[in-house]
Amino acid sequence: MSQQTNIAAQSAFAEAVVTGNLETLDEIVALDSIDHDPAPRQGPGPEGYKAMFGELRAAFPDLHVEVEHLVASDDEVAFAYTITGTHLGPLMGYPATGKTVSYRGMQISRFDSDGKLVERWGSSDELGMLRQLGLAEA
């Protein structure tokens, strides 16, 4: 696939997460997609992503992802981002704190010839997020 096709697929993935239209991930993520850095208890494929991001959006209904840097090849997209949101719902067993967070992360996504996500590597500053919420010690 072309760089532009992969960037468009990654953008559609991000839009699904930010808007909460997670059913769109069925069209973007391959059934056998592998997440090399899954969330705890995250299942495989589109269903795993929908569950993970559904929990995150329930905890942060105003979730926003700002892409700060992006590079692409014929089959991969890598980007750095900042996530912001207000903790208004349960997260990892913790009740809402009402606090706002801002934390950074990076991701590499690999796409197949049909433009579907087949592999993901990612890391975000979840400890920093928990510290901002007062749920982990500094």
Side-chain angles (χ1 to χ4, degrees), residues 60 85-88 96-101 131-134:
F60 300 96
T86 309
H87 185 210
L88 300 175
T97 63
K99 295 181 180 180
T100 301
V101 297
R131 286 178 174 159
Q132 291 174 53
L133 296 175

Side-chain angles (χ1 to χ4, degrees), residues 36-133:
H36 294 282
D37 301 297
R41 300 175 306 282
Q42 179 184 338
E47 294 304 318
Y49 288 109
K50 288 191 286 188
M52 174 183 63
F53 287 115
E55 179 181 355
L56 190 61
R57 287 210 32 85
F60 300 96
D62 62 345
L63 180 79
H64 180 73
V65 180
E66 181 72 30
V67 174
E68 296 173 4
H69 186 77
L70 183 140
V71 294
S73 70
D74 289 341
D75 65 347
E76 293 179 322
V77 175
F79 57 99
Y81 57 86
T82 298
I83 294 176
T84 57
T86 309
H87 185 210
L88 300 175
L91 177 70
M92 297 185 276
Y94 295 106
T97 63
K99 295 181 180 180
T100 301
V101 297
S102 177
Y103 60 102
R104 302 194 68 211
M106 300 182 82
Q107 180 172 310
I108 302 169
S109 301
R110 188 173 71 79
F111 297 89
D112 67 11
S113 60
D114 295 324
K116 289 203 173 202
L117 178 69
V118 293
E119 285 186 278
R120 176 195 169 275
W121 297 262
S123 179
S124 60
D125 185 12
E126 292 176 10
L127 179 57
M129 173 197 59
L130 293 171
R131 286 178 174 159
Q132 291 174 53
L133 296 175

